[in-house]
Amino acid sequence: MKPPPFEYHAPDTIEEALAILANTGEEARVIAGGQSLVPLLNMRLARPELLVDLNRIASLAGVSQPNPDMIRIGAMTRQRTLETDSLVSTHFKVLAEAAKFIAHIAIRTRGTVGGSLAHADPAAELPAMMLLLDAEFITAQSGGVSRRLSADQFFVGPWSTTLETGEILEAVEIKTATDTGFAFSEVARVNGAFALVGAGAAANVGRDHELLSARIAFCGLSSTPRLLALPSEIVKGRPFNDELIDHVAAEVWRWAEPIGDIHARPEYRRRVAVALARRVLPLAVQRATVGATS
Amino acid sequence: MTQSIALTVNNVPVATTVEPRRLLADFLRDDLGLYGTHLGCEHGVCGACTVLVEGEPVRSCLMLAVQADGCDVRTVESLSQGGSLHPLQEAFRKHHALQCGFCTAGFLLTSLYLIESDHDLSDEQTVREALAGNLCRCTGYQNIVDAVMDASATMAATRP
Amino acid sequence: MVNPTSPALRYAAMQSGTWVGKPVERREDVELLTGAGRFIADLTRPGMLHAAFLRSPLPHANIRSVDTAAAKALPGVHAVFTGADLAPTIGQQPTPHRVWGQKDTPYYALARDRVRYVGEPVALVIADSRYLAEDARELIEVDWDSLPAVGNMDASLASDAPLLYPGWTNNVAGSFDQEMGDVDAAFAAADVVVSRRFSISRIFGCPLEGRGVLAEWEPTPQELTVWSSTQALHVAQDCLAETLGIPAHRVRVLVPRLGGGFGSKFHFYPEDVAVSFASREIGRPVRWVEDRSEAFLSTVHARQEVISAEMAATADGRITGVKANILGDMGGALHTMAYGPVWLTAVMMTNVYEIPNARVHLDAVLTNKTPFGSYRGWGQPQANFAVERLVDGVAAELGLDRFEIRRRNFIPPDRFPYRSLHHVFDSGDYAAALDRALELAGYQEWRIRQTQMRSEGRHVGIGVSFYVENTALGPSRLLNEGGVDQGGYDIAHVRVEPSGDVTIYTGLCDMGQGVTNALAQVCAQELGMDPDQITVVTGDTQMCPRTGYGTGASRSAAVGGAAVMKACGVIRNKIKAIAAHMLEADVADLELKEGAVRVKGDPKSHVSMADIGRAAYLRIKDLPEGMDPGLQAVEVFDPPQMAWPYGVNVVVVEVDIETGVVSFLDYAYVHDCGTVVNPLIVDGQIHGAVAQGISMALHEELIYSDEGQPLFSTFMDYVLPTAVEIPRLRLDHLMTPSPIIPGGMKGVGEAGVIGSPAAVAGAIEDALAPFGVQVDELPMTPDRIVALIDGARSQRMASHPA
């Protein structure tokens, strides 16, 4: 299990990286944390002629607050940082909760937010979280071109995104939402393994604790991360009770497009999606209620 | 097709050239003779090859040696000083926390990071979760958990 | 009785001698903890080259041709070998374990004209580095003629199944029958008969360190030195000699540190031969280290059996008969141990119970999968799973408690030695262990809590299993009568050095279990010395005496320990004779204690071991007249029977019925392995083996497609448990010395893995009792648990339409 030969560049700036990519095309591959790519190299399932390493581009790393209503997470921010960063814990504690489910500490210290998003594993937590948080993806191409894509536009299939050849994911931006409660949970074969199903919920409640809106994002369930915006006729203005939960469960059951693999049949994933929805949504509502009243 | 790198390994400066594809683990083992780092899966799951890079645990099978250029790397060989065992190593021995010893370096370095970064290791479940990135096939983990909790308490008590 | 709550108290109670029973910290730990241990991948030799194997991507195919020209042309490549290169000089892979009626299933170090499983070695590249060898491997072109393949036993046994070996009439490589009593009468007279079909999946030992071999051929004087990650160095030596056509005395096998073995490294593999061949051809040392992706395919698989079994009982819960039909999935060829593990399943189908009537039949079925072989427990976990689940089934039918049904059927203590289906059990007080487990587990309290938790909607279950473990493998004649060309003895060479220190040479291997500590403690006990004065040398055929079998079958501490005791006895007599002469004392008044020979009751009158050593080798004039110089003994121990430790698993689990996730609320374990030599090590063996049993019950599975394609290649596919999934064990020990082993030791290495799967399965079934499901399949993955519940629900809906 040794990688095939390749050339290697580790530029210091985005511009340099984009220039190298523009000159090489399909044979080049970007390496971020390498926690998915290096296994593929070791197994010789990936065979780039050139690796462009983003690890030395300081401007790509870190969490910032460009304006009071927004958190920006640089693509090369380590997944571990999501657990330790104070901006993240203040505004999106759920990201820290979800990050704990990504493999293990020694993977998260190298693995990056952008790497996980660009890799777009359907079982990975962060793509689903970006759908849930309605994140905006900011990309860079050579010649100063930048695109802004919604999470929905970014993920198009299993391990497949709308990133173009030579294009780099630069950051994601997420609008802060103090009135929204979030929660995440996951079922995996063992601790740190890929999700059989993971679910993140977001909920908004009104003054009388009635539900205004709610959505649930899933990883592992389908061939891509998916977001279920619960229909307003189910949730809007309704008190959050067992009857509503049953409606949500039925909606998840109907909506799920579960996949099967050696670990679980589609029927299992559908059932667990419902079970997780029943667990994360009440927690999100509870947190929204605390947020709304505090 | 080699590239120059300069790094610090166990406080010793190293300057050399490597092929870009050379894994950090192979570089440490075969180029520097630091065989204490073991390869158990080469796809990042088992944790046997865990080393500290810039003080944080990483899989040396999932990092290229060229990526460690300019970094500070610590391996299991750095733990015992002057012939005496590190408190973590002492605890592992006392609690019979190793059998074949193949996974041990990875557990030691993960544990060292947890202790040095002030993780709260007083709760067993927390310790088990923090160690879940290292697989052991021999011990059933119980004695490893006990050793890490014991060492953590001992080291906290002796900290100035 | 031993207090289970405090290890210190427990250990104090387990100490039966000065050194035997003492929790001595292990001698190898400092080396291993500091990263100084040297495993096979850490060894280098001057001029050493690196190997990589090209393996079959197809489950069943003929090889039309292999084109190695491009690979050979790559700079840094020294040679590329194929089956055709080996054919003139290399014999087929040996199967030293020959069991009843097995057929010959020839396979070779490199496949000659046909492959029978994905992963079978086809070509070997030798290059300057592993990186280069893998580069060259990609340039080899094989012209395949793909054949229909069978990926499971049903397909293999179909009347129109493709045959793995031309000329055979089916794919059955061996069958075996055993019977005692009048089974048909017992079943005809039974008040209750329980029939179940058990399916145990394919898993494997999966040591964290893969296998490896470093071979160095010396053209003059034509000697082969092989460093091998083997548990059985003499098996390796014999098999290398046989396949390579070299006299065994010109083959030296050395064993470095092993990163676990669990039986899988007992086997002799194609790579051992191919790499040795390559070194001989090229004239340079060659090393191959198995990587993880090939480990899944090239190290023997294990366990996979389907057991259709029935148990008959009377209304008062006496089990009167057992019948079992066992199918073992052998993969593409019979490997080193042939179908031995399946045979052991068959003859263990009465477990610890006095069941007078039993009939077992097995078929060893070939499939297009990696060959089957040893893994800790051999066939015992499967037999235990089937029997213990049947016993639970009888208990459920009769409304009896799971502890009570077992108590009613144990072989009583006064019936030992007891002849079971095949073996003779040496000793046991099973009811005492059960009582202790009942108490340790707090079984009655758990039943009360279970009722309460069920009323809260929680699904909590309690499982219990009782196991007996086949240890101290021997005697040699019994093995030979069974068709095995191996002994069951062990030889210890113990030598007092001129310094008074002691060196023990043993053919046993240390694969992480710490056997050298046990042997040193036994020796220290016998010679009244500190273990630190004793060196134990293992893993070198040139220095170490032959072991009849190798390190496996939980035999090292018992058989190897007894051999050391025997040798120490001889030495002790000579030491006393020397000391009596030097002290002018009577031999009968002497004792060996604290590194000296002392006159009892006279503290001033003693002679140190150093003085004894000096007399024996250097100052011969100090020896009694006529005594030969030197102070050593080589002694053989061949056990008269096997020794049979036993124990109880009591498991409490909670099942999340929505997700199928199982979590442990408690795990209590009571066992008796006779005299305990080092309680730290004994506890550790139990911990590790129980974890493997739990993993067999819940996690691990090597899944193949129906066409024989493996659906696993990483630890993401083949799931191993972490510290989070494995619960804390609460252990207690009983210590009833074996009457047939000097020192009273019984083995312990496999104990924990045997009964744990049945207990975990029983606990899950109990937790899901409200649904009325049966847990007869392993592993019980979350998906399977949910499927069981769904199945039960839909059945209920069908039978009770709303």
Side-chain angles (χ1 to χ4, degrees):
Chain A
M1 294 177 76
K2 306 298 180 193
F6 48 76
E7 280 184 59
Y8 173 85
H9 286 287
D12 294 320
T13 65
I14 300 176
E15 293 71 25
E16 223 181 312
L18 291 170
I20 297 166
L21 288 168
N23 287 334
T24 44
E26 298 276 356
E27 311 82 55
R29 207 152 162 184
V30 167
I31 181 167
Q35 302 302 287
S36 298
L37 179 56
V38 180
L40 293 173
L41 291 172
N42 289 356
M43 291 180 246
R44 301 197 175 208
L45 296 172
R47 350 183 30 102
E49 286 177 20
L50 171 72
L51 275 193
V52 181
D53 190 342
L54 304 185
N55 280 280
R56 300 198 184 271
I57 305 175
S59 64
L60 283 175
V63 182
S64 58
Q65 192 167 17
N67 64 60
D69 303 330
M70 178 163 301
I71 298 297
R72 179 186 168 97
I73 304 174
M76 289 301 292
T77 305
R78 307 290 169 185
Q79 292 152 4
R80 178 83 179 133
T81 304
L82 299 179
E83 298 168 78
T84 55
D85 184 83
S86 60
L87 279 174
V88 173
S89 68
T90 305
H91 297 283
F92 295 107
K93 209 172 174 54
V94 69
L95 265 181
E97 286 175 5
K100 284 191 200 307
F101 285 94
I102 306 171
H104 302 103
I105 294 172
I107 297 292
R108 300 196 291 269
T109 55
R110 287 293 295 170
T112 63
V113 173
S116 172
L117 298 178
H119 187 57
D121 191 309
E125 293 78 6
L126 292 181
M129 291 310 292
M130 293 304 133
L131 280 170
L132 182 73
L133 300 176
D134 195 20
E136 209 166 19
F137 289 57
I138 296 136
T139 73
Q141 296 177 341
S142 67
V145 178
S146 177
R147 295 199 293 160
R148 297 182 79 90
L149 302 163
S150 68
D152 193 41
Q153 292 168 318
F154 188 78
F155 300 110
V156 291
W159 298 282
S160 176
T161 71
T162 46
L163 273 181
E164 293 169 7
T165 303
E167 188 174 25
I168 290 174
L169 177 62
E170 205 176 333
V172 290
E173 290 182 351
I174 312 170
K175 288 199 184 71
T176 56
T178 48
D179 58 340
T180 309
F182 297 100
F184 181 86
S185 189
E186 174 175 318
V187 175
R189 286 292 304 278
V190 292
N191 184 285
F194 271 113
L196 293 173
V197 181
N204 294 78
V205 297
R207 298 173 64 91
D208 298 322
H209 299 178
E210 80 282 13
L211 204 51
L212 296 178
S213 69
R215 56 192 192 272
I216 310 174
F218 293 93
C219 58
L221 174 63
S222 309
S223 59
T224 56
R226 288 179 74 210
L227 179 71
L228 170 63
L230 289 163
S232 57
E233 62 266 28
I234 295 181
V235 293
K236 186 153 190 201
R238 311 258 171 173
F240 191 76
N241 54 26
D242 288 351
E243 191 192 339
L244 185 140
I245 286 280
D246 286 344
H247 280 128
V248 169
E251 181 64 15
V252 172
W253 184 275
R254 188 192 58 73
W255 168 87
E257 291 169 9
I259 53 166
D261 61 15
I262 56 165
H263 296 300
R265 299 157 304 138
E267 297 90 312
Y268 174 86
R269 285 193 162 84
R270 183 195 299 272
R271 173 184 270 280
V272 172
V274 171
L276 287 176
R278 285 179 176 278
R279 291 171 195 189
V280 290
L281 189 55
L283 191 54
V285 169
Q286 185 198 333
R287 288 172 174 178
T289 308
V290 172
T293 49
S294 64
Chain B
M1 209 186 63
T2 57
Q3 281 181 236
S4 300
I5 55 170
L7 63 161
T8 308
V9 180
N10 299 337
N11 290 322
V12 178
V14 178
T16 184
T17 58
V18 291
E19 254 195 294
R21 63 165 160 170
R22 193 153 190 78
L23 300 174
L24 177 60
D26 287 332
F27 171 72
L28 293 170
R29 290 170 44 77
D30 296 325
D31 297 354
L32 302 186
L34 297 170
Y35 293 111
T37 300
H38 299 146
L39 283 169
C41 76
E42 291 178 279
H43 58 275
V45 181
C46 82
C49 71
T50 305
V51 300
L52 300 187
V53 175
E54 298 294 295
E56 293 196 317
V58 306
R59 306 293 204 223
S60 62
C61 75
L62 297 190
M63 191 166 171
L64 305 169
V66 285
Q67 293 186 297
D69 186 22
C71 290
D72 179 62
V73 178
R74 281 176 76 185
T75 70
V76 66
E77 284 88 350
S78 72
L79 258 67
S80 76
Q81 298 289 332
S84 61
L85 293 181
H86 186 277
L88 254 173
Q89 293 169 316
E90 288 284 5
F92 269 59
R93 186 168 192 219
K94 178 177 139 199
H95 288 275
H96 185 33
L98 66 156
Q99 290 185 27
C100 78
F102 196 77
C103 70
T104 307
F107 273 100
L108 287 171
L109 290 161
T110 299
S111 307
L112 186 67
Y113 161 77
L114 293 171
I115 291 171
E116 287 186 346
S117 60
D118 289 328
H119 259 69
D120 180 6
L121 300 176
S122 58
D123 168 61
E124 177 170 345
Q125 189 58 28
T126 310
V127 173
R128 286 179 177 270
E129 284 170 14
L131 295 176
N134 292 80
L135 295 178
C136 172
R137 191 62 163 164
C138 295
T139 65
Y141 300 106
Q142 182 162 326
N143 290 349
I144 297 176
V145 170
D146 289 347
V148 172
M149 293 179 75
D150 188 357
S152 165
T154 309
M155 288 170 72
T158 56
R159 205 167 289 177
Chain C
M1 210 55 69
V2 179
N3 179 350
T5 54
S6 152
L9 284 175
R10 217 149 45 79
Y11 290 161
M14 288 160 78
Q15 192 163 340
S16 58
T18 320
W19 291 104
V20 168
K22 194 167 182 178
V24 179
E25 290 177 0
R26 298 195 320 168
R27 49 189 49 219
E28 62 270 41
D29 283 359
V30 171
E31 177 189 321
L32 293 170
L33 282 162
T34 53
R38 287 293 170 264
F39 297 80
I40 189 78
D42 309 333
L43 304 182
T44 58
R45 298 289 297 163
M48 185 179 82
L49 299 172
H50 299 261
F53 284 88
L54 175 74
R55 297 176 183 280
S56 172
L58 299 174
H60 201 186
N62 285 323
I63 301 169
R64 288 204 194 95
S65 64
V66 184
D67 183 352
T68 60
K72 281 176 176 162
L74 195 73
V77 173
H78 292 255
V80 181
F81 299 109
T82 68
D85 299 315
L86 273 62
T89 53
I90 302 296
Q92 78 181 59
Q93 288 293 111
T95 312
H97 212 86
R98 277 182 274 277
V99 266
W100 295 267
Q102 88 189 47
K103 292 188 190 168
D104 189 27
T105 58
Y107 67 106
Y108 302 90
L110 294 176
R112 288 187 179 174
D113 45 20
R114 186 185 270 207
V115 291
R116 294 181 179 82
Y117 61 92
V118 172
E120 186 164 354
V122 173
L124 171 60
V125 181
I126 311 296
D128 284 334
S129 76
R130 177 67 176 244
Y131 287 76
L132 284 172
E134 293 191 18
D135 293 347
R137 175 170 65 189
E138 297 183 301
L139 302 175
I140 300 171
E141 296 212 14
V142 183
D143 185 8
W144 298 105
D145 171 21
S146 183
L147 299 169
V150 287
N152 56 60
M153 291 194 285
D154 284 345
S156 178
L157 292 171
S159 58
D160 58 347
L163 297 175
L164 270 73
Y165 284 87
W168 290 23
T169 53
N170 58 28
N171 287 319
V172 177
S175 298
F176 171 82
D177 291 279
Q178 186 95 329
E179 185 165 359
M180 65 178 184
D182 187 341
V183 177
D184 294 330
F187 274 81
D191 296 315
V192 52
V193 172
V194 172
S195 303
R196 307 266 281 250
R197 183 176 179 276
F198 303 101
S199 176
I200 296 118
S201 75
R202 202 172 191 81
I203 61 178
F204 79 125
C206 198
L208 207 54
E209 179 212 32
R211 295 181 293 113
V213 56
L214 163 53
E216 183 167 5
W217 174 256
E218 283 289 342
T220 43
Q222 300 244 313
E223 278 180 358
L224 179 70
T225 304
V226 173
W227 290 261
S228 169
S229 57
T230 180
Q231 296 172 225
L233 73 166
H234 296 96
V235 171
Q237 182 187 34
D238 289 354
C239 291
L240 283 167
E242 182 183 333
T243 46
L244 293 158
I246 309 169
H249 69 276
R250 293 202 182 277
V251 177
R252 181 183 187 187
V253 178
L254 294 144
V255 183
R257 288 265 171 235
L258 296 189
F262 314 116
S264 65
K265 289 178 183 168
F266 197 100
H267 283 239
F268 181 72
Y269 287 90
E271 293 88 354
D272 303 340
V273 178
V275 171
S276 300
F277 169 87
S279 176
R280 186 167 69 180
E281 288 295 305
I282 300 171
R284 285 175 66 170
V286 177
R287 190 186 74 191
W288 167 76
V289 176
E290 182 187 62
D291 67 31
R292 188 52 57 188
S293 65
E294 49 189 350
F296 286 117
L297 300 170
S298 63
T299 286
V300 287
H301 292 175
R303 297 279 196 268
Q304 189 161 30
E305 292 175 10
V306 172
I307 304 174
S308 304
E310 292 180 76
M311 185 170 273
T314 61
D316 63 349
R318 287 289 308 182
I319 300 166
T320 52
V322 172
K323 287 193 277 196
N325 188 44
I326 301 159
L327 300 175
D329 190 331
M330 309 315 298
L334 295 183
H335 212 268
T336 311
M337 311 307 279
Y339 69 79
V342 192
W343 168 80
L344 189 56
T345 300
V347 298
M348 291 305 293
M349 283 300 296
T350 53
N351 197 14
V352 287
Y353 307 113
E354 193 178 22
I355 304 174
N357 311 294
R359 179 193 298 148
V360 292
H361 170 81
L362 76 82
D363 291 309
V365 182
L366 297 180
T367 54
N368 291 109
K369 299 194 279 200
T370 295
F372 176 96
S374 305
Y375 173 28
R376 196 179 210 168
W378 246 39
Q380 296 172 99
Q382 301 95 307
N384 190 272
F385 180 66
V387 176
E388 291 298 281
R389 302 278 40 244
L390 285 169
V391 170
D392 284 350
V394 171
E397 285 285 321
L398 296 174
L400 274 174
D401 178 79
R402 287 176 169 182
F403 275 75
E404 184 53 30
I405 181 100
R406 286 171 169 83
R407 192 189 312 281
R408 286 187 194 180
N409 288 283
F410 284 143
I411 301 160
D414 58 6
R415 294 271 280 122
F416 292 97
Y418 176 85
R419 181 154 191 102
S420 179
L421 248 177
H422 174 81
H423 296 103
V424 176
F425 294 178
D426 64 326
S427 60
D429 185 349
Y430 301 147
L434 194 79
D435 288 343
R436 190 73 199 92
L438 196 85
E439 187 185 325
L440 176 69
Y443 177 64
Q444 303 305 346
E445 292 84 344
W446 267 118
R447 281 291 179 214
I448 293 164
R449 286 165 77 179
Q450 180 187 34
T451 307
Q452 188 190 335
M453 289 164 106
R454 269 190 184 151
S455 71
E456 296 162 4
R458 297 173 67 177
H459 294 82
V460 173
I462 306 165
V464 57
S465 73
F466 204 104
Y467 72 87
V468 66
E469 182 195 4
N470 171 325
T471 78
L473 183 62
S476 300
R477 283 178 175 78
L478 187 77
L479 266 69
N480 293 163
E481 282 160 17
V484 181
D485 285 353
Q486 280 181 295
Y489 60 87
D490 236 273
I491 305 176
H493 176 189
V494 180
R495 186 172 74 210
V496 180
E497 306 293 350
S499 63
D501 293 341
V502 168
T503 309
I504 300 172
Y505 297 89
T506 174
L508 297 167
C509 290
D510 173 15
M511 64 260 204
Q513 85 283 39
V515 63
T516 61
N517 299 277
L519 298 184
Q521 281 178 254
V522 167
C523 179
Q525 175 77 32
E526 293 300 301
L527 298 183
M529 333 175 36
D530 191 297
D532 284 347
Q533 292 174 272
I534 299 163
T535 302
V536 183
V537 178
T538 64
D540 183 350
T541 51
Q542 208 162 75
M543 297 170 75
C544 301
R546 196 178 172 88
T547 168
Y549 192 77
T551 307
S554 299
R555 60 193 302 281
S556 297
V559 182
V564 167
M565 275 187 84
K566 243 175 122 174
C568 288
V570 172
I571 290 172
R572 193 172 50 223
N573 287 342
K574 186 162 179 178
I575 290 173
K576 281 187 176 176
I578 297 170
H581 178 70
M582 292 170 84
L583 294 167
E584 295 179 351
D586 192 316
V587 165
D589 295 334
L590 298 178
E591 62 178 348
L592 276 67
K593 204 173 155 186
E594 291 163 8
V597 189
R598 299 167 193 278
V599 178
K600 288 179 207 162
D602 179 2
K604 280 186 200 151
S605 192
H606 59 86
V607 53
S608 72
M609 282 294 285
D611 292 336
I612 299 279
R614 203 157 40 243
Y617 294 97
L618 307 173
R619 292 182 59 83
I620 317 303
K621 70 176 184 57
D622 289 347
L623 296 181
E625 197 63 41
M627 180 184 273
D628 282 334
L631 191 48
Q632 61 178 341
V634 179
E635 286 293 318
V636 186
F637 181 69
D638 198 345
Q641 272 303 339
M642 288 178 219
W644 297 84
Y646 50 90
V648 195
N649 293 260
V650 184
V651 179
V652 187
V653 302
E654 178 164 12
V655 179
D656 179 336
I657 62 163
E658 294 301 321
T659 64
V661 171
V662 175
S663 45
F664 288 86
L665 304 184
D666 196 10
Y667 203 121
Y669 188 103
V670 172
H671 79 127
D672 189 334
C673 67
T675 305
V676 168
V677 179
N678 184 324
L680 278 179
I681 291 177
V682 166
D683 278 6
Q685 287 296 306
I686 301 285
H687 289 167
V690 166
Q692 291 180 341
I694 289 170
S695 192
M696 170 179 163
L698 298 178
H699 303 297
E700 291 171 55
E701 187 170 18
L702 293 160
I703 302 174
Y704 278 87
S705 77
D706 289 345
E707 295 75 34
Q709 271 297 340
L711 304 179
F712 49 85
S713 60
T714 69
F715 279 136
M716 272 92 91
D717 315 313
Y718 188 73
V719 177
L720 292 186
T722 75
V724 172
E725 288 78 32
I726 301 300
R728 178 166 289 273
L729 297 194
R730 297 191 298 122
L731 284 181
D732 201 359
H733 310 262
L734 302 169
M735 283 180 294
T736 317
S738 168
I740 57 148
I741 303 289
M745 294 82 75
K746 297 180 176 182
V748 71
E750 298 164 281
V753 85
I754 297 171
S756 41
V760 172
I764 293 170
E765 187 175 289
D766 189 39
L768 300 181
F771 301 99
V773 302
Q774 291 184 0
V775 177
D776 296 339
E777 186 179 8
L778 299 179
M780 269 290 117
T781 60
D783 183 38
R784 286 207 178 100
I785 286 175
V786 166
L788 267 184
I789 296 168
D790 281 350
R793 278 177 169 156
S794 57
Q795 224 174 18
R796 197 166 296 180
M797 299 271 270
S799 54
H800 304 284

